[in-house]
Amino acid sequence: MLTAQVMEKLRVLAESAKYDVSCSSSGTVRGGKKGMVGNTVGGVGICHSFADDGRCISLLKVMLTNHCMYDCAYCINRRSNDIKRATLSVTELEEITMEFYRRNYIEGLFLSSGVVRNPDYTMERLTAIVRDLRTLHRFNGYIHLKAIPGASQELLNEAGRWADRMSVNIEIPKEESLKLLAPDKDHKSVFQPMKLIQQGVLENKEDRRKFRHAPRFVPAGQSTQMIVGATQESDRDILNMSSALYGQPTMRRVYYSGYISVNTYDKRLPVLKQPPLVRENRLYQADWLLRFYHFKVEEIVDEAHANLDLEVDPKLAWALRHPEQFPVDINRDDYERILRVPGIGTKSAWLIVNTRRFSRVTSYHLKKMGVVMKKAKYFITCGELTDGYSVPIVGINELHPERLRPLLVSKAQQKRIAAEQQLSLEFEE
């Protein structure tokens, strides 16, 4: 039964869990089964995520406890903080999950925890919850479980049998910065559970080739999170780490969380009036280029441009720096070149390549395919591009990047970027 005391605990722990953005329910599909409760298709404590098909779904996002033995400078739940603490029992959390599901509040669970006593003690309790939900309560919905750095391989293997996705947060891309802000942690303690989970997933794939009904192990893979703006790492440092992680076969998503000044008294941290949301958004766009647009990190950021351009998206910034790559002939050039045109996405590039097999593609067709012509028209040619008065479009090589850039950046964008830059203060020595 959800008593007032349990609901108050839930309110506290849901508030403590909201800073972890590395939750997503995509990547796994589990249909309804006879005798089971719920399924998963790729209020308080409820967050919204997206399935593989784009459908918005609800997850119960909560911590088992916000007590923690660590004193990480960037964390609201750090040991030295004077905040309201709470702990749910294993039974209480299971009852909350099942009751919320029966009321149609949620479709899945995102479960994390502070580290109490030691990593194995905490991981054992988390594992008991997901195991009981699957076996005793017959819960068949989505479960995302946070793995505790330092937990034993046996516990991680047990948890992986019941969870859809597991994640371990890197938080800070460089070891020296992590040691500065979180003296009790290091990258080895984070990468070790990642490797163990990866090993379990790959072994499970082999087992499923041999045995048709072998149980699945973390079928939705892994994810992780990095904090943006808490340290002086550049976007290049962050994206190099992301690229290395995506080189691992089980890493599905890297999430970026703009630093929120929750511990303003700590002199090791920058003072920000608001999170660097534009920078966070640019990192997600750059991440998309790495995963789906065949870009390499050194093409997006380099020594001369270590941080992403806040005024324009990374793809447009690359195009403005490389006018020699344009114009692209959409009726002749290959898919990879077309994919690099600003305003053309993966779907529209695929449509262009397939449509031109049967007829010449014109600007009329491009608009119908969803191409953002406001951007694309300066970087392509199809033989009949004109403005509204039948005047040929002048491309990037005739206009030059420095003259074209103001045409593509709105005044509203300029004001938003200026506001964010003014809110950033220097790190204290």
Side-chain angles (χ1 to χ4, degrees), residues 193-427:
M194 282 186 176
K195 291 179 181 177
L196 294 175
I197 295 169
Q198 176 182 312
Q199 179 181 340
V201 173
L202 297 178
E203 289 177 354
N204 181 250
K205 286 184 177 179
E206 289 298 320
D207 291 341
R208 288 179 64 82
R209 288 192 184 102
K210 299 175 183 177
F211 308 103
R212 181 178 178 184
H213 297 291
R216 296 187 299 177
F217 185 93
V218 194
Q222 301 187 68
S223 64
T224 190
Q225 170 183 275
M226 283 188 277
I227 299 173
V228 179
T231 55
Q232 300 187 60
E233 274 80 7
S234 65
D235 294 335
R236 188 186 183 195
D237 297 324
I238 295 172
L239 290 174
N240 275 323
M241 174 64 77
S242 298
S243 180
L245 291 170
Y246 284 133
Q248 305 302 315
T250 61
M251 182 58 64
R252 297 293 181 83
R253 284 295 305 274
V254 177
Y255 291 85
Y256 309 95
S257 176
Y259 172 67
I260 301 173
S261 297
V262 292
N263 301 318
T264 54
Y265 60 85
D266 198 314
K267 300 303 182 182
R268 293 171 292 176
L269 296 166
V271 180
L272 303 177
K273 293 184 179 179
Q274 70 177 29
L277 297 180
V278 177
R279 184 184 177 192
E280 176 189 306
N281 183 53
R282 294 291 182 237
L283 282 167
Y284 275 114
Q285 291 172 328
D287 184 277
W288 208 257
L289 295 182
L290 291 175
R291 294 164 62 207
F292 301 110
Y293 287 78
H294 308 163
F295 275 79
K296 298 184 183 301
V297 173
E298 54 269 24
E299 293 180 293
I300 303 172
V301 283
D302 53 31
E303 291 185 7
H305 307 88
N307 289 303
L308 296 169
D309 194 324
L310 296 183
E311 285 191 342
V312 296
D313 66 80
K315 190 178 180 183
L316 179 55
W318 173 84
L320 291 173
R321 293 199 305 269
H322 296 88
E324 72 280 0
Q325 299 289 333
F326 303 99
V328 170
D329 189 334
I330 61 169
N331 284 293
R332 294 184 180 181
D333 286 323
D334 58 25
Y335 174 82
E336 283 71 24
R337 285 204 69 196
I338 293 173
L339 199 57
R340 294 194 168 215
V341 174
I344 296 182
T346 54
K347 183 178 178 181
S348 51
W350 181 86
L351 287 171
I352 290 169
V353 171
N354 283 274
T355 301
R356 71 188 189 186
R357 294 164 55 197
F358 306 100
S359 64
R360 186 175 182 80
V361 177
T362 67
S363 59
Y364 172 80
H365 298 130
L366 294 177
K367 292 176 183 177
K368 291 293 183 181
M369 293 174 186
V371 173
V372 182
M373 292 300 291
K374 180 181 177 182
K375 293 181 181 179
K377 64 184 180 181
Y378 299 107
F379 302 93
I380 63 173
T381 179
C382 58
E384 47 77 68
L385 279 175
T386 62
D387 62 16
Y389 302 96
S390 298
V391 177
I393 294 293
V394 179
I396 183 173
N397 288 293
E398 290 78 18
L399 273 176
H400 301 294
E402 60 274 11
R403 293 173 57 194
L404 176 58
R405 184 186 180 96
L407 300 177
L408 297 172
V409 181
S410 68
K411 291 183 178 180
Q413 284 179 304
Q414 293 174 352
K415 289 181 180 179
R416 187 163 59 249
I417 302 306
E420 179 166 309
Q421 290 173 335
Q422 290 171 3
L423 288 171
S424 301
L425 301 182
E426 295 293 330
F427 287 79

Side-chain angles (χ1 to χ4, degrees), residues 101-164:
Y101 182 82
R102 291 188 184 100
R103 297 182 184 186
N104 203 30
Y105 293 167
I106 61 169
E107 298 175 69
L109 171 67
F110 176 88
L111 179 60
S112 61
S113 178
V115 182
V116 290
R117 296 194 186 179
N118 57 67
D120 275 353
Y121 175 81
T122 306
M123 194 69 214
E124 187 174 10
R125 299 182 72 200
L126 294 174
T127 302
I129 291 169
V130 295
R131 181 181 62 243
D132 289 350
L133 285 173
R134 297 296 195 206
T135 58
L136 299 181
H137 300 282
R138 313 297 291 171
F139 181 68
N140 201 37
Y142 176 83
I143 296 179
H144 181 148
L145 183 65
K146 300 294 293 186
I148 304 299
S152 68
Q153 183 174 1
E154 291 75 15
L155 286 171
L156 292 173
N157 287 341
E158 174 72 7
R161 291 177 56 196
W162 311 112
D164 291 288

